[in-house]
Amino acid sequence: MERIVLVGKPNCGKSLLFNQLTGLRQKVANFPGVTVELKTGQFDQFEVVDFPGTYSLHSLSKDEEIAVEKLNLAVDDDDTRLVVCVLDAARLERSLVFALQVQALARKNNKAVVFVLNMIDEVERYGLDIDIKALQKELGAPVYALSAKTLKGVAAFKEALPGLAKQAQAPTELNIQLGEQRKFIERARAINAEYGIRSDVVLKNQNRIDTFLLNNVLGGIAFLAIMFFLFQSIFTWAQPLMDGTEAAIGWIANTLTGMIGPGIVSDFLNDAIFGGVGAFLVFVPQIMVLTLIIGVLEDSGYLARAALICHKPLSLFGLSGRSFIPYLSGHACAIPAIMAARTIESPRKRLITMLTIPLMSCSARLPVYALLIAVLIPKDATFLGVFDLQGAAFFGLYFFGILMALVVSTLMNVFTRKSKELKDMPFILELPSYRLPHWKPLFQRVLNSGVQFIKRAAPVIFVISLCLWTLGYFPQGAGLENSLLGKIGHFIEPIFEPLGLDWRYGVAMIMSFLAREVFVGALGTMFGMSGAEKNIAGLAAQIQADGLTLGAGIGLLLFYVVALQCVATVAMLRAETGKSRIAWGLYAGYGILAYLIAVIAAHIF
Amino acid sequence: MKTLWELKAKQAAVVETINSQLTGPVISRLQEMGFSEGQQVVCVRRSPFKGPLVVQVGDCVYSLEQAVAEKINLALAS
Ligand SMILES: Nc1nc2c(ncn2[C@@H]2O[C@H](COP(=O)(O)OP(=O)(O)O)[C@@H](O)[C@H]2O)c(=O)[nH]1
Ligand SMILES: [Mg+2]
């Protein structure tokens, strides 16, 4: 298919223009181990490829190197008809440095180039205008002024595109060779001096808002308020959606098994498919809500400010300011959090952030915490006479997770400081103008987050779910205690002995590898209770009567804070780092650490 | 000679050189982002506890941490 390539500097409005051109159907290609993401969509008979926004063809990191390599290949490719360089009309000089480099690259490959002068609505709002005809002459290529936001000029551009793409490009003399980096900078400056608008006009608004949002006191309060809002939304707003998904899955399971009638097939569908795979689908709405809010923060320009505010404190632990949002998201679910870590500029800090995210207490741990806290702490006990002790214990567990993450990242930072493979990039962050986000790219992004999550995690979840079900189901009719899984539990009981736990807990812990919240249901089954998820108080009473010691209980809680009991996260880490060694190594490492902490706790208390 | 890191809030200056302790690619990226010789920079704000500073360079506003800002040498504004 004939191809159109879209490039531009970050925040020039490229994503929005891409969406306006291609509509809502698009594909995203990811490459293992790097954050490069190529979006493709369709416009007329053309395939439009959206390249990651960057400042230069000279790469700084491995990710940029791969992005630039892909761009080189695409421009060289015979199917490519046109290269569209998107410029931010209000920031002509900065956008031109990269655009001129791409123009030179396209010329070298005899490809046609067109410049899009986006954000023209902003220029007009200031009552200014840009001499398009003269600029066109200066650049030696067609220039289309438009606004991807207000759609002004977009129709004309769409109309012209097929014609532009068909224009055979005669080999042109390069006026600047690709290697002459200084000349691009000088030329961009000269063109801007001639045609650009005055920067203090553009930046006045942004700087005014920043005097408030970056203020030492008010900015801090605004930051806390926004993060509190983010945190609330993933729990309270996502909850009805999650409950709805759960109910829907339950309903489908019931209907289907009702039609088939009792037997092994229906048991399989009910427990392995709907129980196992369904348990993880419940997280899809939460992930989508989280992605939506992060997307709004990013497109509005606030995300860069949040990173700036957090940078200094987090750098004490070897992290970047951009690690904050992933950490916060990790309290909902590690998977979107690991995705959010993509924005971290330094590969080393990105890796450290990704590897410590699983220590955040995600929402799958909540049922486990709720059960064990109910077992260990009487309902109306207070701490220092004021705080509800159960609430304080919850808070303590969250805090313990964060503390562990900071300790681990400090250690990882010390041990990888000399690494040649993992380069550090300096923290240079553009603070973009504040803008009202457009729904189209957001919608696209939210949809994509759900699809990506299912694509990446579903296969592993399915396999593990199948294995666990087989082990727990056979020999048929024997019940969980006498099943293969029960036998394995008895066999490995000595491992759980130092924790003060017996085989029943061991089996529940193995089963919770699928997703942590499975622990509650599995333990319920071991105690002869069905539907324990809905009756945590009842199960807690049974466990109390059974005599779980305080030390073993606390150990078990701390085990769940630290252990990486989630195959979906392991699969995600494997995809993002590109190395299964790292993902499974981390699984083993946190498992051993969690075990040791639990043993110590069992002996202290 | 003064570095960008020593700039106080609201102060302006002109970029002179970039310290060659930074690697080649980082230096050229800084130049491409606007920190090239003769470019005027204005410190928009300083963060407490030696946090990243905010500077306006041409048509962009950037936030830089100490490690980078220290490596950008300035000539005092006229
Ligand atoms: N006013 C205005 N805003 C725009 C225009 N194009 C994009 N934006 C907004 O600018 C912000 C950044 O755009 P985005 O497409 O994410 O930029 P990208 O980094 O190049 O992909 C978003 O909030 C967009 O809604 C435009 O033509 N005019
Ligand atoms: Mg974008």
Side-chain angles (χ1 to χ4, degrees):
Chain A
M1 194 161 27
E2 299 186 317
R3 186 182 304 124
I4 294 175
V5 168
L6 211 59
V7 293
K9 103 180 226 311
N11 304 309
C12 65
K14 195 166 52 65
S15 300
L16 186 53
L17 181 66
F18 175 76
N19 269 280
Q20 303 290 22
L21 287 178
T22 59
L24 293 175
R25 281 191 42 198
Q26 48 182 254
K27 278 187 303 202
V28 181
N30 279 296
F31 303 93
V34 287
T35 57
V36 181
E37 197 180 87
L38 295 188
K39 281 185 269 170
T40 35
Q42 200 157 341
F43 168 74
D44 271 4
Q45 79 270 35
F46 300 104
E47 176 191 62
V48 185
V49 189
D50 182 16
F51 276 83
T54 166
Y55 292 94
S56 160
L57 279 180
H58 308 274
S59 51
L60 267 192
S61 64
K62 176 132 172 290
D63 307 73
E64 285 187 1
E65 195 180 307
I66 291 173
V68 170
E69 190 187 301
K70 298 269 170 213
L71 180 61
N72 268 299
L73 286 175
V75 174
D76 184 42
D77 196 286
D78 283 340
D79 286 336
T80 302
R81 292 286 177 272
L82 182 67
V83 180
V84 179
C85 296
V86 185
L87 306 173
D88 177 346
R91 289 182 165 76
L92 201 55
E93 182 176 346
R94 269 310 57 73
S95 3
L96 271 175
V97 173
F98 179 49
L100 290 173
Q101 292 176 0
V102 176
Q103 185 186 30
L105 177 70
R107 284 205 170 146
K108 202 177 105 198
N109 291 288
N110 293 336
K111 293 287 162 21
V113 173
V114 58
F115 290 92
V116 164
L117 202 54
N118 192 28
M119 312 250 183
I120 203 71
D121 58 318
E122 294 203 340
V123 175
E124 284 168 354
R125 209 175 58 223
Y126 301 121
L128 304 166
D129 85 307
I130 294 176
D131 186 347
I132 306 294
K133 278 221 181 74
L135 185 60
Q136 200 152 288
K137 207 164 189 183
E138 175 75 49
L139 290 171
V143 176
Y144 284 81
L146 54 82
S147 161
K149 179 74 137 283
T150 65
L151 291 180
K152 185 180 180 219
V154 171
F157 178 61
K158 278 184 174 175
E159 214 164 285
L161 258 183
L164 292 165
K166 283 207 176 57
Q167 236 167 36
Q169 185 73 12
T172 18
E173 272 294 302
L174 292 181
N175 33 16
I176 308 180
Q177 299 297 325
L178 268 174
E180 299 174 302
Q181 189 215 356
R182 282 209 69 83
K183 292 202 176 156
F184 289 111
I185 298 175
E186 280 159 15
R187 180 135 193 266
R189 195 187 285 187
I191 296 177
N192 184 58
E194 180 87 27
Y195 304 94
I197 62 173
R198 289 192 46 193
S199 58
D200 35 346
V201 179
V202 185
L203 296 175
K204 205 170 133 202
N205 256 332
Q206 153 177 4
N207 285 341
R208 207 168 44 208
I209 301 176
D210 273 341
T211 50
F212 167 66
L213 284 180
L214 292 180
N215 181 287
N216 296 346
V217 180
L218 295 175
I221 295 172
F223 175 81
L224 290 179
I226 291 170
M227 294 309 148
F228 180 74
F229 172 78
L230 171 70
F231 205 67
Q232 275 290 303
S233 63
I234 45 190
F235 286 106
T236 50
W237 299 350
Q239 202 56 51
L241 293 170
M242 291 172 80
D243 293 345
T245 314
E246 201 176 344
I249 293 168
W251 182 83
I252 299 172
N254 269 335
T255 323
L256 214 66
T257 47
M259 271 164 20
I260 296 169
I264 183 166
V265 178
S266 121
D267 284 347
F268 172 75
L269 283 179
N270 219 352
D271 298 335
I273 301 299
F274 292 106
V277 180
F280 113 101
L281 283 182
V282 170
F283 292 105
V284 173
Q286 191 179 39
I287 286 170
M288 288 165 80
V289 170
L290 185 61
T291 310
L292 174 69
I293 296 180
I294 295 179
V296 170
L297 289 181
E298 183 171 349
D299 285 358
S300 65
Y302 188 73
L303 210 53
R305 274 77 181 181
L308 163 59
I309 292 171
C310 298
H311 186 71
K312 190 64 199 184
L314 285 176
S315 66
L316 298 177
F317 305 99
L319 299 163
S320 154
R322 287 181 178 273
S323 307
F324 184 78
I325 294 286
Y327 266 16
L328 190 69
S329 313
H331 286 95
C333 177
I335 284 145
I338 291 170
M339 286 295 277
R342 287 181 157 211
T343 56
I344 298 171
E345 68 293 339
S346 150
R348 197 164 67 98
K349 291 181 173 156
R350 185 192 315 139
L351 184 68
I352 295 177
T353 307
M354 285 197 297
L355 298 187
T356 46
I357 282 171
L359 291 168
M360 303 292 141
S361 290
C362 65
S363 51
R365 285 169 171 108
L366 277 177
V368 182
Y369 290 178
L371 173 69
L372 293 173
I373 286 177
V375 171
L376 297 175
I377 298 172
K379 206 166 168 80
D380 32 13
T382 57
F383 175 59
L384 300 176
V386 251
F387 301 105
D388 171 51
L389 195 55
Q390 288 196 341
F394 258 110
F395 181 79
L397 291 171
Y398 274 82
F399 184 74
F400 182 66
I402 296 170
L403 191 73
M404 286 304 291
L406 294 179
V407 170
V408 173
S409 54
T410 308
L411 290 176
M412 284 184 177
N413 181 38
V414 171
F415 286 113
T416 57
R417 194 167 277 158
K418 293 259 157 60
S419 162
K420 284 209 183 63
E421 194 185 337
L422 292 166
K423 269 188 270 178
D424 249 338
M425 293 233 289
F427 184 77
I428 316 168
L429 185 72
E430 185 184 339
L431 301 182
S433 292
Y434 289 102
R435 295 201 171 92
L436 214 58
H438 193 282
W439 67 272
K440 263 190 192 171
L442 280 176
F443 177 83
Q444 198 52 251
R445 205 168 144 154
V446 168
L447 202 69
N448 227 317
S449 67
V451 172
Q452 290 276 332
F453 173 64
I454 293 172
K455 253 196 196 156
R456 288 204 164 160
V460 218
I461 295 273
F462 178 74
V463 171
I464 298 285
S465 177
L466 199 69
C467 293
L468 285 177
W469 179 82
T470 314
L471 290 176
Y473 192 77
F474 294 103
Q476 214 177 344
L480 198 50
E481 169 151 18
N482 299 311
S483 68
L484 292 172
L485 196 61
K487 291 215 179 74
I488 295 175
H490 276 295
F491 183 70
I492 59 170
E493 194 169 30
I495 298 180
F496 299 101
E497 209 141 26
L499 306 180
L501 301 170
D502 60 37
W503 67 276
R504 292 170 302 180
Y505 293 93
V507 169
M509 278 156 88
I510 295 175
M511 290 195 60
S512 69
F513 180 45
L514 192 59
R516 294 169 178 100
E517 79 275 21
V518 171
F519 178 81
V520 176
L523 201 60
T525 315
M526 307 306 290
F527 278 87
M529 242 177 95
S530 64
E533 302 89 335
K534 303 264 177 323
N535 184 9
I536 286 190
L539 180 58
Q542 279 213 28
I543 296 174
Q544 262 170 352
D546 190 65
L548 178 72
T549 66
L550 181 67
I554 292 178
L556 195 56
L557 270 172
L558 297 183
F559 180 89
Y560 269 91
V561 174
V562 175
L564 210 180
Q565 293 269 86
C566 175
V567 268
T569 305
V570 175
M572 190 66 192
L573 282 171
R574 198 183 54 191
E576 287 291 296
T577 60
K579 295 195 179 87
S580 12
R581 194 161 42 90
I582 292 185
W584 289 107
L586 196 71
Y587 171 73
Y590 282 153
I592 294 167
L593 183 64
Y595 183 81
L596 292 177
I597 289 174
V599 172
I600 293 169
H603 281 89
I604 292 179
F605 295 100
Chain B
M1 198 168 23
K2 224 176 166 170
T3 69
L4 183 60
W5 185 246
E6 290 156 59
L7 216 54
K8 293 195 185 67
K10 303 281 177 288
Q11 237 178 359
V14 171
V15 177
E16 201 165 74
T17 51
I18 299 179
N19 192 323
S20 54
Q21 278 170 4
L22 290 175
T23 60
V26 174
I27 293 176
S28 48
R29 173 59 55 89
L30 283 169
Q31 288 169 340
E32 282 162 334
M33 289 176 98
F35 297 92
S36 54
E37 202 186 318
Q39 176 77 55
Q40 172 167 326
V41 290
V42 183
C43 178
V44 178
R45 63 179 306 111
R46 301 290 314 222
S47 316
F49 307 114
K50 297 189 172 177
L53 55 65
V54 180
V55 282
Q56 181 176 331
V57 183
D59 47 12
C60 281
V61 178
Y62 297 109
S63 163
L64 278 80
E65 66 180 342
Q66 182 175 3
V68 201
E70 270 175 350
K71 305 280 163 35
I72 298 175
N73 300 320
L74 306 174
L76 279 183
S78 42

